[in-house]
Each structure stands twice: as structure tokens, then as C-alpha cells.
Amino acid sequence: MTNLPSPEDRRNHYLIPAALASLLFLGSLRIFLDTFKNSHQTCPFFRPQSGGYRVIRPPIRVSDEETIKDGCNIFEGKWVQANGSYPLYTEESCPLLVKQVTCQKNGRPDSSYQKWKWQPDGCNLPRFNALKLLEILRDKRLMFVGDSVQRSMFDSMVCLVQSVITEGKKSLRKQPPRKIFRAEEYNASIEFYWAPFLVESISDHATKHTVLKRLVRLDSISNHSKQWEGVDLLVFESYVWWMYKPVINATYGDLKHVQEYNVTTAYRIAMETWAKWIETSINSRSQKVFFMTMSPTHLWSWEWKNEGDGNCYGEREPIKRPYWGTGSNVDMMGIVKDVLGGLRVNVRLLNITQLSEYRKDGHASVYGERRGKLLTKEQRLDPKNYADCIHWCLPGVPDTWNEILYGVLLQDYRGS
Ligand SMILES: *[C@@H]1O[C@H](CO)[C@@H](O)[C@H](O)[C@H]1NC(C)=O
Ligand SMILES: *[C@@H]1O[C@H](CO)[C@@H](O)[C@H](O)[C@H]1NC(C)=O
Ligand SMILES: *[C@@H]1O[C@H](CO)[C@@H](O)[C@H](O)[C@H]1NC(C)=O
Ligand SMILES: *[C@@H]1O[C@H](CO)[C@@H](O)[C@H](O)[C@H]1NC(C)=O
Ligand SMILES: *[C@@H]1O[C@H](CO)[C@@H](O)[C@H](O)[C@H]1NC(C)=O
Ligand SMILES: *[C@@H]1O[C@H](CO)[C@@H](O)[C@H](O)[C@H]1NC(C)=O
């Protein structure tokens, strides 16, 4: 006798429970810091010179050590204990971090989740170098587009670079649906753009989105895309908002004609709308586009333990054997593959799903927020209903996504 749910239950489990759906709406109601107060390092590329500043621009060199071997699949590998060299920043050293992700400050007793390093099987990832990344971003805009998972990648990237920027030369401002981090000395921006479905929807307001009601306009993207025009580096992601029910209300064409679509059908149409924009608007010579695959959830512990009815709560170690949770829908993954495969414009895939699947220990669990508030003591004692097994603690797993993005971007400077 096992506690394994029947196939019927599994199908239901595939859907995100309503209580958890509320987690998707967090996080934007924040006070934004205008400048950072805790940075110590000064930028070595600026030297005072007779009252002004002379800019010395080092070329971006890729050492042998930083070179990713041709043909190496950096998304295949394992997590290894990093023994001291991780995390790459701390909750304290990054004042921008929002309460939703500062799990230590919120009472998480263990911190080992911060100390794992992703080790690809066939090669090494270059060590993250904030100065090099900023040099890559000089006079450019990097924009992350998507939902709150994607926002944590933005938060992570800002934390990864902000400590090397001179005080007073960096700023973070909110311009809904965007968040914009500026590094003045580099004339560089790191931005987040809220578009949980990529195409237009009634959930597009950065703070006041509908909680359980969803209505997607499968053929409309221009309200968003006009703000993506000309952005030098774009990183797209969209998944978890689609996954609330097997069907979703949507329109195609006539806004009065609302219809329930199978989620997979709707996702394919929306991805095709996005792809059409990519093909007509991206200039491959001056712009780089990435698509990030789904961030996995760890909502049902029976999937990795074969017993019990828990979730990610209390998990302290990555999964160390082959694992793929049912939350990462393979049909949806197939749609991403098809759509990207059919593009004439080069969109690079950041296939972070498998590596993140192993990280059942990395989620905010009960050390996060719900509807903009930290959990109460009573709620913390009820992880079954309150643990957030969708979002990640920072420092944590999204840092690895950025290390990979950095590693890939860096390769473009090989031999230059
Ligand atoms: C860290 O230490 C563990 C245990 O001592 C060891 O197995 C692992 O290989 C070390 N990791 C690295 C990256 O050196
Ligand atoms: C600053 O960066 C923007 C793009 O983000 C670019 O259009 C502009 O020319 C840059 N300014 C300077 C002075 O290089
Ligand atoms: C897109 O913009 C138009 C014009 O501003 C507006 O009427 C429409 O409601 C917007 N669409 C969505 C989904 O917000
Ligand atoms: C679609 O909209 C109708 C009418 O508002 C509603 O009754 C139905 O539950 C909605 N379907 C979904 C999947 O949300
Ligand atoms: C929608 O999903 C149901 C159940 O999975 C399936 O029977 C049906 O054929 C699908 N419809 C379309 C249009 O794909
Ligand atoms: C991403 O990687 C997984 C295996 O790790 C694979 O099954 C999936 O097809 C890949 N996704 C795409 C879009 O290629």
C-alpha cells in the first residue's frame, strides 16, 4: 500500500491550487529604493583627471578558463557544494532585495540552499564577473520580460552587479509595468517588464491585477511590444500564469467573443503571436533575444519521495537523481521548442527547467510573503496551505540562471 495518489488526483495536482495562485500576485506593491546605501567598492574604470573623468575601457577578454567548450550542453549537469565561494552576494549586501525573497531574514533556519553551484557535465561555467557583465551592457539595455519568477531573475541580476557600482551612480526606479535599474557610469540599464502572458491580458497592471480571473488576448501584443522595441538584450519567460486551470478564457480578434481555450492551445497561439513580433521587429545584428523555459514548482512531495502529502517545506537538499516534476508540462515545453524552432530570428534558449527541477530546497516556502505580507506565525505552522513552492529565495537558484546567461553572453566576445 502506498500513498501514491490515483491518476485522477495526479491530474488535479497538476493544476496550481487556488491558495497558491494568490502567490503569483505578490511583490509589486513595494517601496523602491532610489539609491543604494551600502556599497563600498568604487569603480576602477574611472579615474579623476584635471577636474573631469577620463574613461578607460578595457576590452572584454574571454580567458581560456571562461571559455565554454563548443558543443557542451551547460544545462546538463549536477549541483555541487560550493564550499565558501557561494553565495555570490548576501541578503545584507543587496539592500534592494524585497521581503518576498529574503528567506534568512524571514526566519529560514538553514542556509545551505545558498551554497550550491551548478556544474555542467561536459565543461565549466565561467565565474560571474560583475565588471565584465557591466562592460557587456555598456550603452545597452537588458530587459527581462515575464512574471514574478522572471522578476526574481531581474532582482538577482541587480544584486549580482550592484555592489561594484559607485555609490550615487546607481538607481532603481519603478515605472509600471517596468522596474529600471541604472548604472550611470556604464550608461547601462537592467530592466524588468511585467507581462505574465507575454501577450496582452487583464493581468497586465503591474500591481492591480485580477487575482483569480484571467482573460488573455491571444492575438494582441503591441501594448507591450512597443516598449520592447530596440532593446539590446531581451530575456522572455511565460508559463505559470497559464497553469491555473486546464482551460483559460481568451479572445482572438473580436474582444466581445470570449471563449474557453485549452491552455496548451492558447499558449501555442500566444507564442505564435509573440514569434510574429520577434520576426518582424528584431534586428539580429544589434539585438539578442533569449527565451527562458519554465521555472519548476515543488508543490507535491510525493513526486520525489513517493509518499506523504507535503510540499517543498522543510526540504534542505537538492534531488540527486533524475527527476522531472509533473508541474513542468511537457506539452507546453514542446510548444516552446516548436515555436522557437520555426523562427528565422535567432532566439537562444535558456533551458533552466531541468537544473531547477533538482532544487526542491530552493523555494521561499513559509519564509516568504503572501499578498505583500510576511506570513504570520500561525500561517508558518501550516506549510501545507501556506508554503510558497513556486518562488525562490535569493540568493539562490535564479542566480544560477544569471550565471548561465552571463556565461553565454560572454562567449560572444571570444576572440575579440
Ligand atoms: C565541497 O566539499 C564537499 C564535501 O567536502 C565535496 O564533496 C565537494 O566536491 C566540494 N566542492 C567543491 C566545488 O570543491
Ligand atoms: C546610452 O545608452 C543608450 C541605449 O541604452 C544609447 O541609445 C545612448 O546612445 C547611450 N548614450 C551614450 C552617451 O552613449
Ligand atoms: C492596449 O492599449 C489600448 C490603448 O491604450 C487600450 O485601449 C487597451 O485596453 C490596451 N489593452 C490592454 C489589454 O490593456
Ligand atoms: C470564463 O468566463 C466565464 C464567464 O465569466 C466563467 O463563468 C468561467 O468560469 C470562466 N472560465 C475560466 C476557465 O476561468
Ligand atoms: C482540449 O482538451 C481536451 C481534454 O484534454 C481534449 O479532449 C480536446 O480535444 C482539446 N481540444 C482542443 C481544441 O485541443
Ligand atoms: C529543455 O531540456 C529538457 C531536458 O532537460 C528537454 O526535455 C526539453 O525538450 C528542452 N526544451 C526545449 C524547448 O528544447
Side-chain angles (χ1 to χ4, degrees), residues 200-202 204 217 223 226:
E200 292 166 24
S201 76
I202 59 168
D204 289 343
R217 295 184 184 175
N223 283 15
K226 61 185 179 231

Side-chain angles (χ1 to χ4, degrees), residues 242-253:
W242 296 91
M243 301 308 284
Y244 175 50
K245 286 181 182 168
V247 291
I248 191 163
N249 274 327
T251 59
Y252 190 93

Side-chain angles (χ1 to χ4, degrees), residues 40-47 131 138 164-166 185-186:
H40 312 291
Q41 276 168 277
T42 52
C43 174
F45 300 154
F46 283 72
R47 308 238 163 81
L131 292 172
R138 185 180 287 285
V164 303
I165 302 169
T166 319
E185 294 153 315
Y186 294 85

Side-chain angles (χ1 to χ4, degrees), residues 212-214 245 247-249 258 260:
L212 295 176
K213 224 171 130 196
R214 285 148 206 232
K245 286 181 182 168
V247 291
I248 191 163
N249 274 327
V258 177
E260 282 186 346

Side-chain angles (χ1 to χ4, degrees), residues 114 124 143 214 303 332 345:
Q114 298 183 340
N124 294 317
M143 187 188 273
R214 285 148 206 232
E303 291 200 312
M332 303 283 270
V345 171

